[in-house]
């Protein structure tokens, strides 16, 4: 799947539409999910044009992959979730229910999160 530069997260990254930003560094941009599924629900996107986890992991330069992983760790800490705990999730493709074709991680926290999957 080719990257669509008109996807909503690309527009957020370019500053073309607003978001509630919570964290930014050289490699990482994070903002509150518009439809939160937990008391804390933040989306983290790497600063690059990658559709999905497979695309990002295969094609992104190592410094971006490392920088993004570190950025998400700093984000969790900044949100105060390190001690109480949190969950990171990414959806890939149709079975994963990915709706926005720019790689993103969901970061959930702020309560006991329960089972991994709801049937
Ligand atoms: P996914 O289903 O993994 O692709 O997740 C996409 C997420 O993006 C959903 O949780 C949406 O609520 C969220 N979302 C969609 N549009 C926006 C937006 N403009 N600002 C913040 N979150 C959004």
């Amino acid at each position: 799947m080719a990257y669509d530069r008109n996807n909503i997260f690309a527009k957020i990254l370019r500053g073309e539409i607003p978001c509630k930003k919570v964290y930014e560094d050289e490699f990482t941009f994070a903002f509150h999910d518009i439809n939160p599924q937990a008391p804390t629900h933040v989306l983290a996107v790497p600063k690059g044009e990658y559709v999905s986890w497979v695309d990002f992991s295969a094609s992104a330069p190592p410094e971006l992959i490392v920088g993004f992983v570190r950025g998400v760790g700093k984000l969790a800490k900044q949100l105060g979730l390190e001690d109480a705990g949190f969950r990171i999730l990414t959806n890939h493709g149709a079975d994963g229910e990915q709706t926005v074709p720019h790689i993103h991680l969901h970061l959930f926290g702020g309560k006991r999160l329960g089972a991994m999957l709801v049937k």
Side-chain angles (χ1 to χ4, degrees):
M1 190 194 207
Y3 185 80
D4 172 12
R5 297 196 80 242
N6 287 317
N7 78 74
I8 194 124
F9 294 170
K11 290 180 179 172
I12 287 174
L13 267 177
R14 292 195 298 266
E16 293 168 7
I17 60 169
C19 71
K20 286 192 190 169
K21 182 170 101 170
V22 290
Y23 177 86
E24 182 172 15
D25 64 26
E26 186 184 349
F27 305 104
T28 310
F29 191 88
F31 51 96
H32 287 285
D33 195 291
I34 207 165
N35 183 25
Q37 306 295 312
T40 299
H41 183 177
V42 167
L43 301 170
V45 299
K47 290 184 174 177
E49 298 186 343
Y50 305 97
V51 176
S52 65
W53 186 263
V54 167
D55 184 22
F56 178 65
S57 60
S59 305
E63 57 272 24
L64 177 56
I65 294 173
V66 171
F68 180 61
V69 170
R70 290 208 167 114
V72 172
K74 289 178 193 164
L75 165 67
K77 201 167 178 170
Q78 180 184 297
L79 289 166
L81 298 175
E82 186 183 17
D83 291 339
F86 59 90
R87 181 173 294 159
I88 290 171
L89 177 151
T90 191
N91 294 319
H92 179 112
D95 277 359
E97 309 281 2
Q98 181 179 2
T99 59
V100 179
H102 182 114
I103 171 72
H104 52 282
L105 301 183
H106 296 254
L107 199 155
F108 302 102
K111 68 167 190 174
R112 292 299 289 261
L113 293 166
M116 286 276 282
L117 293 174
V118 178
K119 293 182 183 167

